[in-house]
Amino acid sequence: MNLGTGCLIFCVSVILLGAIIGMARAPKAKARHNAINDAIQAMASQFGWRFDRSPTPYLSSIPKINSVLGGYGVDTFGTAINVKLVGEWRGVPITALQITNRNTDRIMVDVIQTNTMLLVPRPVPGPDVALTQQGLSWKNFLERDRQVGYPPFDSLYHVHAHDDRAARTVITQPIAELLATDPRMRERVLFFGPQHLAALFPGLVAQPRAVAATADLLVQVGQLMAGR
């Protein structure tokens, strides 16, 4: 057997092995996909929400979303909204999105990550602000941390805003006091965009407890913003 024939046999063997492995994994992948769909359907039915396949321009107006998602940006290759649910929560219109994107949060390695975002209408207009957890991260790197003047809050959150005045306009004392102690903010990123309040957290949208708790938090923050 010459070298060329040996290489050809090796390449064909690798292709066949890959095909066999793919065929073996396909039923498991399909079963997992169906289980996730069933879980989303069940949650939507439980909350009285419905699926919506209309275009979703929300992400392009969410402050700091590119940094939070991790480098590829919004409305570019690698970022996709896989699920969109709409309905009401405590009498407030709400949208739930499942976002899958590629990022580079590991050096030279693309990572597929899935996040859930909930959005409710912003009751009072004002500056754009985003809140991330304190600490050195690619979200906060080289970003000025604005202060709202409430130490328990300032020690927990990196406030992304144009200046301290903008931060204090949005994060009033009642909101700062709530967020400084509320366990529902764990692993959450909070956005005050032009039209929406939004919260982002890791994982699939089919997390009824996490979704319900985060929806309650957004509604409560909205009520504080409206002075109720």
Side-chain angles (χ1 to χ4, degrees):
M1 181 185 299
N2 60 38
L3 181 60
T5 303
C7 289
L8 177 60
I9 293 174
F10 175 77
C11 291
V12 171
S13 299
V14 170
I15 293 172
L16 288 175
L17 179 61
I20 292 171
I21 293 173
M23 291 174 64
R25 290 179 176 176
K28 294 182 179 179
K30 183 177 181 180
R32 183 175 182 274
H33 177 76
N34 290 340
I36 291 172
N37 283 343
D38 290 345
I40 296 173
Q41 291 272 9
M43 191 188 75
S45 177
Q46 176 185 347
F47 293 161
W49 296 352
R50 67 183 187 279
F51 287 86
D52 186 345
R53 292 178 173 80
S54 62
T56 306
Y58 304 134
L59 296 183
S60 60
S61 65
I62 297 296
K64 295 295 297 177
I65 188 65
N66 288 347
S67 297
V68 169
L69 288 180
Y72 272 87
V74 176
D75 298 329
T76 60
F77 175 77
T79 300
I81 294 173
N82 308 113
V83 178
K84 178 183 177 185
L85 302 173
V86 297
E88 288 192 351
W89 191 263
R90 314 296 188 202
V92 176
I94 192 167
T95 300
L97 306 176
Q98 181 174 290
I99 305 168
T100 301
N101 72 292
R102 297 170 59 192
N103 66 32
T104 52
D105 64 354
R106 301 176 189 171
I107 298 175
M108 302 299 291
V109 177
D110 283 346
V111 179
I112 305 298
Q113 67 176 17
T114 301
N115 292 288
T116 293
M117 175 177 277
L118 303 184
L119 304 98
V120 299
R122 180 171 177 166
V124 178
D128 292 349
V129 171
L131 305 180
T132 57
Q133 303 294 318
Q134 280 285 10
L136 182 61
S137 70
W138 46 269
K139 299 183 187 72
N140 302 337
F141 185 61
L142 298 180
E143 290 283 343
R144 178 74 178 271
D145 183 13
R146 305 301 179 180
Q147 303 294 301
V148 302
Y150 182 62
F153 174 90
D154 289 329
S155 66
L156 290 175
Y157 299 108
H158 188 115
V159 183
H160 304 264
H162 182 264
D163 51 32
D164 287 353
R165 181 179 180 182
R168 292 171 182 175
T169 297
V170 175
I171 310 299
T172 59
Q173 184 78 8
I175 293 176
E177 291 176 355
L178 170 68
L179 299 182
T181 58
D182 200 312
R184 295 173 297 183
M185 276 296 290
R186 185 178 181 183
E187 293 191 310
R188 301 299 188 267
V189 179
L190 202 60
F191 305 94
F192 298 79
Q195 298 179 328
H196 297 93
L197 302 179
L200 184 83
F201 57 93
L204 302 171
V205 73
Q207 304 178 69
R209 291 184 179 179
V211 168
T214 306
D216 281 338
L217 176 66
L218 286 175
V219 170
Q220 189 172 355
V221 172
Q223 290 172 343
L224 292 175
M225 292 185 74
R228 288 188 281 162

